[in-house]
Tab-separated table of all heavy atoms in Angstrom:
chain	number	residue	atom	x	y	z
A	291	PRO	N	81.182	-32.035	42.624
A	291	PRO	CA	81.141	-31.275	41.410
A	291	PRO	C	80.017	-31.732	40.438
A	291	PRO	O	79.375	-32.769	40.686
A	291	PRO	CB	82.516	-31.575	40.720
A	291	PRO	CG	82.766	-33.011	41.065
A	291	PRO	CD	82.239	-33.177	42.495
A	292	PRO	N	79.707	-30.914	39.460
A	292	PRO	CA	78.641	-31.370	38.473
A	292	PRO	C	79.292	-32.299	37.484
A	292	PRO	O	79.540	-32.002	36.278
A	292	PRO	CB	78.268	-30.007	37.805
A	292	PRO	CG	79.407	-29.121	37.977
A	292	PRO	CD	80.106	-29.511	39.263
A	293	GLY	N	79.516	-33.547	37.907
A	293	GLY	CA	80.207	-34.528	37.102
A	293	GLY	C	79.386	-35.832	37.098
A	293	GLY	O	78.185	-35.935	37.462
A	294	VAL	N	80.121	-36.914	36.684
A	294	VAL	CA	79.384	-38.295	36.639
A	294	VAL	C	78.981	-38.715	38.007
A	294	VAL	O	78.170	-39.718	38.103
A	294	VAL	CB	80.292	-39.324	35.920
A	294	VAL	CG1	80.489	-38.931	34.482
A	294	VAL	CG2	81.643	-39.471	36.644
A	295	ASN	N	79.502	-38.144	39.104
A	295	ASN	CA	79.088	-38.494	40.441
A	295	ASN	C	77.649	-38.323	40.632
A	295	ASN	O	76.954	-38.897	41.499
A	295	ASN	CB	79.829	-37.645	41.412
A	295	ASN	CG	79.969	-36.254	41.106
A	295	ASN	OD1	80.612	-35.889	40.156
A	295	ASN	ND2	79.299	-35.319	41.791
A	296	ARG	N	77.021	-37.413	39.778
A	296	ARG	CA	75.556	-37.050	39.959
A	296	ARG	C	74.677	-38.212	39.509
A	296	ARG	O	73.465	-38.175	39.695
A	296	ARG	CB	75.200	-35.822	39.175
A	296	ARG	CG	75.947	-34.610	39.680
A	296	ARG	CD	75.590	-33.362	38.782
A	296	ARG	NE	76.032	-33.577	37.378
A	296	ARG	CZ	75.842	-32.764	36.422
A	296	ARG	NH1	75.120	-31.728	36.629
A	296	ARG	NH2	76.291	-33.025	35.191
A	297	LEU	N	75.214	-39.189	38.783
A	297	LEU	CA	74.315	-40.250	38.209
A	297	LEU	C	73.516	-40.988	39.311
A	297	LEU	O	72.432	-41.277	39.183
A	297	LEU	CB	75.235	-41.214	37.385
A	297	LEU	CG	75.675	-40.603	36.044
A	297	LEU	CD1	76.751	-41.477	35.372
A	297	LEU	CD2	74.458	-40.506	35.104
A	298	ILE	N	74.215	-41.325	40.332
A	298	ILE	CA	73.535	-41.950	41.432
A	298	ILE	C	72.481	-40.990	42.096
A	298	ILE	O	71.458	-41.451	42.599
A	298	ILE	CB	74.526	-42.510	42.596
A	298	ILE	CG1	73.712	-43.372	43.571
A	298	ILE	CG2	75.218	-41.369	43.334
A	298	ILE	CD1	73.048	-44.655	42.951
A	299	GLY	N	72.753	-39.657	42.029
A	299	GLY	CA	71.801	-38.679	42.507
A	299	GLY	C	70.498	-38.682	41.739
A	299	GLY	O	69.432	-38.268	42.258
A	300	VAL	N	70.609	-39.098	40.489
A	300	VAL	CA	69.403	-39.028	39.611
A	300	VAL	C	68.413	-40.074	40.300
A	300	VAL	O	67.223	-39.746	40.384
A	300	VAL	CB	69.741	-39.480	38.172
A	300	VAL	CG1	68.405	-39.706	37.412
A	300	VAL	CG2	70.535	-38.425	37.465
A	301	ARG	N	68.808	-41.194	40.590
A	301	ARG	CA	67.915	-42.253	41.178
A	301	ARG	C	67.398	-41.717	42.514
A	301	ARG	O	66.180	-41.885	42.827
A	301	ARG	CB	68.744	-43.551	41.373
A	301	ARG	CG	67.973	-44.603	42.151
A	301	ARG	CD	66.675	-45.170	41.478
A	301	ARG	NE	65.926	-45.866	42.405
A	301	ARG	CZ	66.156	-47.179	42.625
A	301	ARG	NH1	67.125	-47.867	42.042
A	301	ARG	NH2	65.369	-47.805	43.501
A	302	TRP	N	68.282	-41.063	43.345
A	302	TRP	CA	67.868	-40.635	44.638
A	302	TRP	C	66.810	-39.530	44.508
A	302	TRP	O	65.749	-39.555	45.194
A	302	TRP	CB	69.049	-40.115	45.399
A	302	TRP	CG	68.738	-39.525	46.745
A	302	TRP	CD1	68.734	-40.139	47.920
A	302	TRP	CD2	68.522	-38.089	46.978
A	302	TRP	NE1	68.450	-39.223	49.003
A	302	TRP	CE2	68.308	-37.948	48.340
A	302	TRP	CE3	68.476	-36.986	46.198
A	302	TRP	CZ2	68.000	-36.716	48.974
A	302	TRP	CZ3	68.170	-35.737	46.766
A	302	TRP	CH2	67.942	-35.555	48.190
A	303	LEU	N	67.061	-38.556	43.621
A	303	LEU	CA	66.171	-37.521	43.426
A	303	LEU	C	64.841	-37.929	42.837
A	303	LEU	O	63.754	-37.427	43.146
A	303	LEU	CB	66.777	-36.393	42.588
A	303	LEU	CG	66.077	-35.077	42.437
A	303	LEU	CD1	65.833	-34.430	43.850
A	303	LEU	CD2	66.835	-34.095	41.603
A	304	LEU	N	64.797	-38.831	41.979
A	304	LEU	CA	63.519	-39.386	41.389
A	304	LEU	C	62.697	-39.881	42.527
A	304	LEU	O	61.545	-39.620	42.590
A	304	LEU	CB	63.773	-40.492	40.342
A	304	LEU	CG	64.381	-40.105	39.033
A	304	LEU	CD1	64.786	-41.311	38.256
A	304	LEU	CD2	63.379	-39.276	38.206
A	305	GLU	N	63.184	-40.551	43.510
A	305	GLU	CA	62.523	-41.068	44.634
A	305	GLU	C	61.970	-40.003	45.557
A	305	GLU	O	60.866	-40.109	46.101
A	305	GLU	CB	63.294	-42.127	45.347
A	305	GLU	CG	63.608	-43.394	44.511
A	305	GLU	CD	63.962	-44.557	45.385
A	305	GLU	OE1	64.017	-44.438	46.637
A	305	GLU	OE2	64.286	-45.583	44.782
A	306	ARG	N	62.743	-38.955	45.673
A	306	ARG	CA	62.309	-37.805	46.561
A	306	ARG	C	61.260	-37.012	45.933
A	306	ARG	O	60.406	-36.517	46.573
A	306	ARG	CB	63.549	-36.970	46.952
A	306	ARG	CG	64.653	-37.687	47.757
A	306	ARG	CD	64.090	-38.399	49.031
A	306	ARG	NE	65.046	-39.162	49.795
A	306	ARG	CZ	65.313	-40.416	49.513
A	306	ARG	NH1	64.656	-41.059	48.519
A	306	ARG	NH2	66.192	-41.150	50.301
A	307	LEU	N	61.348	-36.811	44.597
A	307	LEU	CA	60.353	-35.883	43.961
A	307	LEU	C	59.090	-36.709	43.525
A	307	LEU	O	58.022	-36.097	43.494
A	307	LEU	CB	60.945	-35.338	42.567
A	307	LEU	CG	62.163	-34.449	42.850
A	307	LEU	CD1	62.517	-33.796	41.491
A	307	LEU	CD2	61.915	-33.304	43.862
A	308	HIS	N	59.153	-38.050	43.427
A	308	HIS	CA	58.049	-38.790	43.020
A	308	HIS	C	57.872	-40.056	43.905
A	308	HIS	O	57.984	-41.241	43.397
A	308	HIS	CB	58.120	-39.220	41.505
A	308	HIS	CG	58.479	-38.012	40.635
A	308	HIS	ND1	57.426	-37.108	40.267
A	308	HIS	CD2	59.616	-37.498	40.088
A	308	HIS	CE1	57.940	-36.186	39.522
A	308	HIS	NE2	59.324	-36.404	39.381
A	309	PRO	N	57.716	-39.913	45.174
A	309	PRO	CA	57.642	-41.063	46.096
A	309	PRO	C	56.501	-41.992	45.687
A	309	PRO	O	55.371	-41.461	45.385
A	309	PRO	CB	57.402	-40.402	47.427
A	309	PRO	CG	56.822	-39.091	47.191
A	309	PRO	CD	57.554	-38.575	45.846
A	310	GLY	N	56.768	-43.280	45.689
A	310	GLY	CA	55.692	-44.233	45.427
A	310	GLY	C	55.354	-44.403	43.948
A	310	GLY	O	54.419	-45.175	43.628
A	311	HIS	N	56.067	-43.705	42.999
A	311	HIS	CA	55.818	-43.891	41.658
A	311	HIS	C	56.075	-45.399	41.220
A	311	HIS	O	57.067	-46.126	41.677
A	311	HIS	CB	56.767	-42.986	40.832
A	311	HIS	CG	56.327	-42.851	39.419
A	311	HIS	ND1	56.510	-43.839	38.515
A	311	HIS	CD2	55.819	-41.745	38.748
A	311	HIS	CE1	56.019	-43.376	37.300
A	311	HIS	NE2	55.657	-42.203	37.458
A	312	ALA	N	55.142	-45.886	40.466
A	312	ALA	CA	55.117	-47.356	40.109
A	312	ALA	C	56.408	-47.654	39.363
A	312	ALA	O	56.910	-48.756	39.533
A	312	ALA	CB	53.952	-47.680	39.247
A	313	LEU	N	56.931	-46.751	38.585
A	313	LEU	CA	58.153	-47.081	37.811
A	313	LEU	C	59.320	-47.278	38.720
A	313	LEU	O	60.177	-48.135	38.472
A	313	LEU	CB	58.438	-45.889	36.816
A	313	LEU	CG	59.455	-46.104	35.767
A	313	LEU	CD1	59.089	-47.300	34.817
A	313	LEU	CD2	59.591	-44.838	34.892
A	314	LEU	N	59.367	-46.576	39.764
A	314	LEU	CA	60.472	-46.729	40.768
A	314	LEU	C	60.366	-47.874	41.653
A	314	LEU	O	61.280	-48.544	42.060
A	314	LEU	CB	60.578	-45.383	41.625
A	314	LEU	CG	60.754	-44.118	40.848
A	314	LEU	CD1	60.793	-42.864	41.791
A	314	LEU	CD2	62.124	-44.150	40.087
A	315	ALA	N	59.122	-48.221	41.935
A	315	ALA	CA	58.875	-49.385	42.769
A	315	ALA	C	59.351	-50.688	42.049
A	315	ALA	O	59.656	-51.677	42.696
A	315	ALA	CB	57.387	-49.597	43.075
A	316	ALA	N	59.473	-50.695	40.773
A	316	ALA	CA	59.928	-51.877	40.031
A	316	ALA	C	61.456	-51.934	39.973
A	316	ALA	O	62.012	-52.982	39.456
A	316	ALA	CB	59.296	-51.845	38.630
A	317	GLN	N	62.108	-50.911	40.453
A	317	GLN	CA	63.652	-50.987	40.380
A	317	GLN	C	64.242	-51.650	41.607
A	317	GLN	O	63.596	-51.905	42.536
A	317	GLN	CB	64.154	-49.479	40.342
A	317	GLN	CG	63.512	-48.620	39.211
A	317	GLN	CD	63.826	-49.141	37.872
A	317	GLN	OE1	65.011	-49.465	37.524
A	317	GLN	NE2	62.899	-49.312	36.973
A	318	GLU	N	65.559	-51.916	41.453
A	318	GLU	CA	66.239	-52.496	42.569
A	318	GLU	C	66.226	-51.544	43.707
A	318	GLU	O	66.179	-50.255	43.486
A	318	GLU	CB	67.676	-52.839	42.170
A	318	GLU	CG	68.590	-51.570	41.888
A	318	GLU	CD	69.971	-51.997	41.556
A	318	GLU	OE1	70.486	-52.980	42.063
A	318	GLU	OE2	70.610	-51.252	40.753
A	319	PRO	N	66.343	-51.925	44.985
A	319	PRO	CA	66.313	-50.915	46.113
A	319	PRO	C	67.449	-50.065	45.980
A	319	PRO	O	68.475	-50.269	45.442
A	319	PRO	CB	66.505	-51.964	47.266
A	319	PRO	CG	66.052	-53.277	46.875
A	319	PRO	CD	66.385	-53.384	45.428
A	320	LEU	N	67.132	-48.776	46.441
A	320	LEU	CA	68.116	-47.673	46.333
A	320	LEU	C	69.476	-48.087	46.936
A	320	LEU	O	70.554	-47.805	46.343
A	320	LEU	CB	67.586	-46.468	46.990
A	320	LEU	CG	68.569	-45.269	47.038
A	320	LEU	CD1	68.927	-44.739	45.644
A	320	LEU	CD2	67.974	-44.103	47.841
A	321	ALA	N	69.470	-48.801	48.063
A	321	ALA	CA	70.750	-49.146	48.809
A	321	ALA	C	71.512	-50.084	47.900
A	321	ALA	O	72.785	-49.932	47.861
A	321	ALA	CB	70.421	-49.860	50.098
A	322	ASP	N	70.905	-51.013	47.164
A	322	ASP	CA	71.651	-51.904	46.265
A	322	ASP	C	72.268	-51.105	45.125
A	322	ASP	O	73.294	-51.387	44.679
A	322	ASP	CB	70.670	-53.003	45.753
A	322	ASP	CG	70.277	-53.971	46.860
A	322	ASP	OD1	70.804	-53.904	47.930
A	322	ASP	OD2	69.381	-54.724	46.607
A	323	ALA	N	71.373	-50.159	44.614
A	323	ALA	CA	71.901	-49.370	43.499
A	323	ALA	C	73.126	-48.518	43.900
A	323	ALA	O	74.088	-48.342	43.133
A	323	ALA	CB	70.800	-48.422	42.960
A	324	VAL	N	73.087	-47.931	45.094
A	324	VAL	CA	74.189	-47.143	45.651
A	324	VAL	C	75.453	-48.023	45.793
A	324	VAL	O	76.582	-47.678	45.314
A	324	VAL	CB	73.858	-46.540	46.964
A	324	VAL	CG1	75.063	-45.842	47.645
A	324	VAL	CG2	72.720	-45.493	46.822
A	325	ALA	N	75.333	-49.205	46.343
A	325	ALA	CA	76.437	-50.103	46.519
A	325	ALA	C	77.074	-50.475	45.197
A	325	ALA	O	78.329	-50.493	45.019
A	325	ALA	CB	76.074	-51.358	47.288
A	326	ARG	N	76.260	-50.726	44.206
A	326	ARG	CA	76.832	-51.086	42.885
A	326	ARG	C	77.445	-49.873	42.166
A	326	ARG	O	78.503	-50.019	41.547
A	326	ARG	CB	75.559	-51.626	41.992
A	326	ARG	CG	75.997	-52.152	40.646
A	326	ARG	CD	74.840	-52.961	40.013
A	326	ARG	NE	73.650	-52.213	40.044
A	326	ARG	CZ	73.270	-51.406	39.006
A	326	ARG	NH1	74.097	-51.175	38.057
A	326	ARG	NH2	72.072	-50.738	39.024
A	327	PHE	N	76.846	-48.687	42.353
A	327	PHE	CA	77.466	-47.527	41.787
A	327	PHE	C	78.835	-47.236	42.367
A	327	PHE	O	79.756	-46.970	41.713
A	327	PHE	CB	76.563	-46.315	41.907
A	327	PHE	CG	77.066	-45.125	41.322
A	327	PHE	CD1	76.789	-44.761	39.971
A	327	PHE	CD2	77.832	-44.126	42.037
A	327	PHE	CE1	77.292	-43.629	39.382
A	327	PHE	CE2	78.350	-42.999	41.415
A	327	PHE	CZ	78.019	-42.740	40.150
A	328	TYR	N	78.956	-47.344	43.719
A	328	TYR	CA	80.224	-46.986	44.351
A	328	TYR	C	81.270	-47.958	43.965
A	328	TYR	O	82.456	-47.652	43.842
A	328	TYR	CB	79.993	-46.942	45.853
A	328	TYR	CG	79.546	-45.593	46.333
A	328	TYR	CD1	78.368	-44.956	45.901
A	328	TYR	CD2	80.267	-44.833	47.281
A	328	TYR	CE1	77.945	-43.625	46.237
A	328	TYR	CE2	79.865	-43.551	47.723
A	328	TYR	CZ	78.711	-43.028	47.233
A	328	TYR	OH	78.283	-41.785	47.630
A	329	GLN	N	80.878	-49.261	43.797
A	329	GLN	CA	81.849	-50.179	43.385
A	329	GLN	C	82.338	-49.969	41.974
A	329	GLN	O	83.551	-50.047	41.675
A	329	GLN	CB	81.273	-51.627	43.565
A	329	GLN	CG	82.351	-52.655	43.732
A	329	GLN	CD	83.281	-52.943	42.554
A	329	GLN	OE1	82.675	-52.928	41.451
A	329	GLN	NE2	84.517	-53.124	42.723
A	330	SER	N	81.347	-49.666	41.088
A	330	SER	CA	81.670	-49.564	39.674
A	330	SER	C	82.468	-48.347	39.357
A	330	SER	O	83.470	-48.298	38.634
A	330	SER	CB	80.353	-49.487	38.872
A	330	SER	OG	79.640	-50.686	38.982
A	331	PHE	N	82.068	-47.124	39.979
A	331	PHE	CA	82.638	-45.828	39.602
A	331	PHE	C	83.839	-45.500	40.487
A	331	PHE	O	84.750	-44.806	40.075
A	331	PHE	CB	81.619	-44.737	39.695
A	331	PHE	CG	80.721	-44.775	38.424
A	331	PHE	CD1	79.762	-45.679	38.233
A	331	PHE	CD2	80.885	-43.687	37.449
A	331	PHE	CE1	78.978	-45.649	37.003
A	331	PHE	CE2	80.137	-43.668	36.295
A	331	PHE	CZ	79.210	-44.609	36.061
A	332	TYR	N	83.835	-45.967	41.825
A	332	TYR	CA	84.850	-45.493	42.682
A	332	TYR	C	85.768	-46.677	43.291
A	332	TYR	O	86.621	-46.408	43.964
A	332	TYR	CB	84.216	-44.804	43.967
A	332	TYR	CG	83.330	-43.703	43.617
A	332	TYR	CD1	82.140	-43.460	44.373
A	332	TYR	CD2	83.618	-42.783	42.494
A	332	TYR	CE1	81.350	-42.321	44.013
A	332	TYR	CE2	82.759	-41.752	42.233
A	332	TYR	CZ	81.641	-41.571	42.953
A	332	TYR	OH	80.765	-40.522	42.645
A	333	GLY	N	85.408	-47.892	42.795
A	333	GLY	CA	86.204	-49.020	43.271
A	333	GLY	C	86.078	-49.339	44.736
A	333	GLY	O	86.978	-49.918	45.345
Side-chain angles (χ1 to χ4, degrees):
V294 294
N295 45 291
R296 298 175 297 172
L297 287 167
I298 189 60
V300 172
R301 171 65 191 278
W302 177 88
L303 187 57
L304 287 171
E305 295 201 2
R306 297 306 176 271
L307 298 187
H308 309 280
H311 195 288
L313 193 57
L314 300 174
Q317 304 299 312
E318 67 179 329
L320 177 62
D322 292 351
V324 171
R326 187 162 54 83
F327 183 87
Y328 274 56
Q329 205 292 320
S330 299
F331 280 74
Y332 306 143

